[in-house]
Structure formats: C-alpha cells, structure tokens
Amino acid sequence: MSHPHPELGAPPALKEGALRITPLGGLGEIGRNMTVLEYGDRILIIDCGVLFPEDEQPGVDLILPDFSYIRDRLDKVDGIVLTHGHEDHIGAVPFLLRENPDIPLIGSKLTLALIEAKLAEHRIRPYVLEVKEGERERIGPFDCEFIAVNHSIPDALAVAVRTPAGMVVATGDFKMDQLPLDGRLTDLPTFAKLAEEGMDLLLVDSTNAEVPGFIPHERDISAALRNVFANADKRIIVASFASHVHRIQQVLDAAHEYKRKVAFVGRSMVRNMGIARDLGYLKVPGNMVVDVKQLDDLPDKEVVLICTGSQGEPMAALSRMANRDHQIRIVEGDTVVLASSLIPGNENAVYRVINGLTRWGAKVVHKGNAKVHVSGHASAGELLYFFNICKPRNLMPVHGEWRHLRAAAELGIATGVPRNRVVIAEDGVCVDLEKGVARIVGKVQAGYVYVDGSSVGDITEASLKDRKILGEEGFISVFVAVDSTNGKIVGGPTIQARGSGIDDNAFGPVVAKLQEGLDRSASDGVLEPRQVQQLVRRTIGKWVADNYRRRPMILPVVVEV
C-alpha cells in the first residue's frame, strides 16, 4: 500500500503515454471534491466542490480547492465532468469559471440545471454538454463513459475515463439502494463490463467504509415521517440539504397524505426545488406548495415548512429560527425534523441549534431519535460487493477522512486488490498511471482557499489564528506618543481592553513598568517605532500572562510627535 510522505517534492514532468491523477480536494476531508486528470498537455477535471467551514475557521463562508496547480494552464482544460449536483461537488465551479469562463461543463440534466442557476447569480453563461447514463463522449484525449449510480440526489453519474494509459473509473458519490424512489439503480452490469475490459484505476467513494453492512433503503424513511405527521398538532418544520430531492419528495408525500400545505424557506431551497419540479424530478401533488407569506392565513396544523440549516450553518433559516432572528418564530408545540446526517465537524453547531429550538418549546426529531435519515454513501458491505464486481487493478479511495480512506483500502485488499496496488493519497499528491501501475510521484500545492464575503483567497491561516485569539482572549490596545528626537514619552500610555475580561482600571501597576521600560529604551538610543511597539507588546503581554493567565492580542500604537 503506497501512501503520501510529508517530504514529497514536486512531481517530475509527465512521461509520454502516462496519465496523471491529482486530487486537489476531497481526500482527508468530507467536501471540496476536485480531481485533475492530465494526459499529454490536456486536462480533464472531475468535480469542483466546496468545503463548509468549522468552528475554528471563524468568519469563513466557504473553502475552495487551490487552483494554483492548473491556473496558468486553464486553456488546456477540455472540460469539467460533474458527477452530481451537491455543493461539495459543484460549489466551486463559479470561482473556477471566473478565471476562465470558456471551460465546458459536462453533466446530467439536473446537475447542469443546478449549476447553471448558480452561475447565473455570478453572471456566467457556461458552455454545457448534457449527458446521460450509457453515453460516451470524446472530451479531448479523454474518452468518457457515463454510468448511472444511486445517491441522495437524482441523476448522479459515475464516469469511466479511457486514455491510452488505461482506464480510470471515478464513482462520484454512490450507494447501492435496491429499492430507490426513482427506480434508478446503480448500474452494476455496466461496472461488470468495465471490469472485463480492465479497470486500471478505481477512484471510489469511501465515506461509509467504516460502517458495517448495508445502507437502509431511502423509502424506509417514509414510515418515520408519517409517524411524525400523525403525532404533530402544530407546524412541522423540516430541515434538509437544498438539493436532497428524494428526501423532500417523501416530505411532500406525507404532507399530502395529512392534508398540509408546504412552503419552501431559504433562497437555495426555493431555487433548487423549483428546478427539480420544472424538470420533473420532484412531483408536487395539486396546489400543495404555497408561498411562505400565505402561511399566516392557515391553521398551524395544516402547515409544513421545508428549509435549509440541517448542518447548523449560522446564516441558514433553521439556525436563525433557533436564535429568534427569523420571521418564522418557533413556538411551543412545533415539531422540527432534521432530515439529514451530521457531517463530521458540524456536530457542535447542530446540537447548538437543537438546544435553541428546544428552548422555545419545539420537539426536535433527528437521526439520533428517529429513522429520518439514511446515508447516500455505500457502506462496507456494499463496497465489498462493488470491489468484487469491478476487480480494479489499482485502487485509490477518495471522498473521505483518513479513517475512511484506510477502511476502504482494507476492504479492497480483502477482495483481492494487491496491497502494493492500493494508493492512499492526500490532497495535492500526484499519482501516475503508467503501464498498468499507479504510483505516487510527487506533491503540489493544494491548501485551503477561504471565501470571506466578497474576498477570495485573502484570508490566511495567520488571519484565522488572529480571529481565534480575538474571539477567545480579546485584545488590549496601548496608545503611546513619543518625542521623535529623544524618544521620551509625551503622551500615554493609554491602555484599553476589549473582550479580555480585564478592567481598564486594572492596568495601573503595569503602566509604571511600561514607562520605566520606555525611558530605558530611549536612553539606550532605541527610537525606532517598530522596536518600541515590540517593547510595549512584551511588557503588557508578560504582565497579563503572569497576573491573569491569559494571552490576549496586544495592539500597540506608537505615534511620533
């Protein structure tokens, strides 16, 4: 089993006849999926998604893949294949197309409709190529065959990419639900045919590789939802991903059965469900869907709200309801259903929302106390079947944290993939497929790129560290005016603390120490403002640490007069 090494250097030039696979996101994390394939001087990209920030990334809206590896070669990109319409696979497309709007997008009808709506907000009109399962398209030197897979969103596709160097199969996100709501099964016969032809490298969804057995059927949720509807006397509020069409279909069916009206809340939810409805992927009985403004005219027992915020996102509708910062006010007796999984890293945010909702009297139904969610990713039992069907010559687990990648690797080895043909990589690691063997050859830059408001890439790790210090320890500002000729203090020091828990009046003892230090510095001829700032920072910082065991940010302002 090959694996990355922290001392990997830059990869060598790509050999003639070899295929290079470089994940720029999605390995060691759940999200930000993006894989770059290179043959000759041409490039094919599979997916281009975002990662959602965690608590230790305050102020960040989204996290993008780092495009620097391909930035000066975007004219060589023959297309971006989008496996399905979830944000962690399409969310970064607008940011890449800002740099080159001429890159074609290839995907299924629903996937392209979702990304085109998103791009319209960025005023980008992309070149698109709609494909369906069973079709093959030549995209530059890449011969792409598209295969139906079952996931938690309709129209998901895997892709088999044939090149002179061999065949690479990328599953995208998939599971093997044998009773899917739309009747669209993961196409195992086609995977078996690809295996007969020879699957040189399999990039496989690893998210649930640690989960034993088989994932329950999506339709199994219906009974739990009907139970919720049967026992709810007031409003029902369902939080889900804005693209989870199958889950929302089941909510609509239950609402129809119990004679309730439904309103979508949240811009992305309204947009995506409108698209799904127009394209026929979402079946809405009669005149059941109403505008949220009409809800005031209806009795609570006839109302269902479907909104975003199942992951505790601070600006999503459900979080704002929990914080009393939304036009919809949670009241005693409301029922809230979190119809989704907990993405790793979001647990604290979700439980914070659950507590907020409960505080106002809502009954909260979630995966922990009712069967209102099933995963969209194949578990260990399904992966074993899949590996036995595909018989890959080389295996590279993707889409997962380290524990998921290693679990998927061990499952592959158990089904007969040679251990030395299993590649566990990480973001930025280059894997070359040459003469039937996949091996790691180097590493390129693939760090986090933060989106903060309209800023893209301006926020650094150092900026986030400063934000965390400010949030946890506060700051202390120190104003000092010094004579530019002799360095003597002519004003201040004036000290103010914010968020540090230290009263401004408590700084009396350190002012004398600071004045003494500044006088000594002046007598030694140290007059440079930067050096004076360092002296102020050291003196105040040590005094606070010794007396309060805290480390606030010290902001010295030295003015020469």
Side-chain angles (χ1 to χ4, degrees), residues 193-216:
K193 290 178 183 176
L194 296 174
E196 290 178 7
E197 182 179 336
M199 200 178 290
D200 294 293
L201 177 61
L202 175 62
L203 310 180
V204 67
D205 175 8
S206 307
T207 307
N208 274 341
E210 285 189 314
V211 179
F214 293 78
I215 296 299

Side-chain angles (χ1 to χ4, degrees), residues 317-375:
L318 193 66
S319 296
R320 293 172 57 200
M321 291 178 202
N323 294 330
R324 278 288 198 262
D325 183 31
H326 197 278
Q327 64 187 34
I328 296 166
R329 311 283 280 187
I330 298 295
V331 298
E332 188 80 31
D334 284 343
T335 300
V336 178
V337 182
L338 299 182
S340 65
S341 63
L342 282 179
I343 293 177
N346 292 350
E347 294 89 349
N348 290 340
V350 172
Y351 287 123
R352 196 158 45 239
V353 170
I354 290 174
N355 282 322
L357 296 166
T358 306
R359 176 187 179 189
W360 306 118
K363 177 185 177 183
V364 182
V365 180
H366 55 86
K367 184 182 177 183
N369 58 25
K371 192 172 182 180
V372 290
H373 172 72
V374 298
S375 178

Side-chain angles (χ1 to χ4, degrees), residues 165-169 194-203 387 390-396 412 416-423 433 435-438:
M167 182 201 299
V168 175
V169 175
L194 296 174
E196 290 178 7
E197 182 179 336
M199 200 178 290
D200 294 293
L201 177 61
L202 175 62
L203 310 180
F387 291 149
C390 292
K391 297 180 174 62
R393 294 166 178 164
N394 298 269
L395 175 65
M396 181 173 163
V417 181
R419 187 171 288 272
N420 64 355
R421 295 294 187 90
V422 177
V423 177
L433 179 64
K435 298 179 180 178
V437 178

Side-chain angles (χ1 to χ4, degrees), residues 105-281:
L105 304 179
I106 301 100
S108 64
K109 179 188 290 187
L110 179 61
T111 303
L112 291 178
L114 292 174
I115 189 59
E116 285 182 279
K118 183 182 290 290
L119 286 167
E121 297 178 1
H122 294 259
R123 298 181 180 178
I124 297 173
R125 298 185 64 181
Y127 294 95
V128 298
L129 172 63
E130 183 182 315
V131 294
K132 295 187 295 186
E133 57 265 28
E135 294 183 348
R136 285 176 70 165
E137 293 286 346
R138 188 85 181 180
I139 304 168
F142 307 96
D143 179 1
C144 298
E145 179 176 354
F146 301 94
I147 310 128
V149 290
N150 177 244
H151 186 41
S152 55
I153 185 172
D155 248 5
L157 296 169
V159 58
V161 183
R162 294 175 175 87
T163 72
M167 182 201 299
V168 175
V169 175
T171 64
D173 292 358
F174 84 108
K175 61 178 176 177
M176 290 162 59
D177 190 338
Q178 297 303 296
L179 297 170
L181 288 177
D182 58 2
R184 189 172 178 271
L185 295 161
T186 292
D187 188 357
L188 297 179
T190 293
F191 283 108
K193 290 178 183 176
L194 296 174
E196 290 178 7
E197 182 179 336
M199 200 178 290
D200 294 293
L201 177 61
L202 175 62
L203 310 180
V204 67
D205 175 8
S206 307
T207 307
N208 274 341
E210 285 189 314
V211 179
F214 293 78
I215 296 299
H217 307 303
E218 174 71 28
R219 65 179 62 226
D220 291 350
I221 293 172
S222 294
L225 285 174
R226 286 198 301 272
N227 185 58
V228 168
F229 276 74
N231 292 288
D233 297 323
K234 290 193 175 181
R235 296 179 303 180
I236 298 173
I237 300 165
V238 180
S240 173
F241 291 120
S243 53
H244 203 331
V245 178
H246 293 323
R247 189 67 41 82
I248 291 167
Q249 181 68 66
Q250 294 191 86
V251 175
L252 292 177
D253 293 342
H256 180 62
E257 182 178 342
Y258 286 88
K259 297 179 172 56
R260 287 178 178 254
K261 297 289 187 180
V262 174
F264 296 118
V265 181
R267 187 179 65 171
S268 59
M269 181 67 74
V270 171
R271 180 190 67 202
N272 289 356
M273 290 308 106
I275 291 169
R277 181 180 186 174
D278 292 344
L279 295 179
Y281 293 95

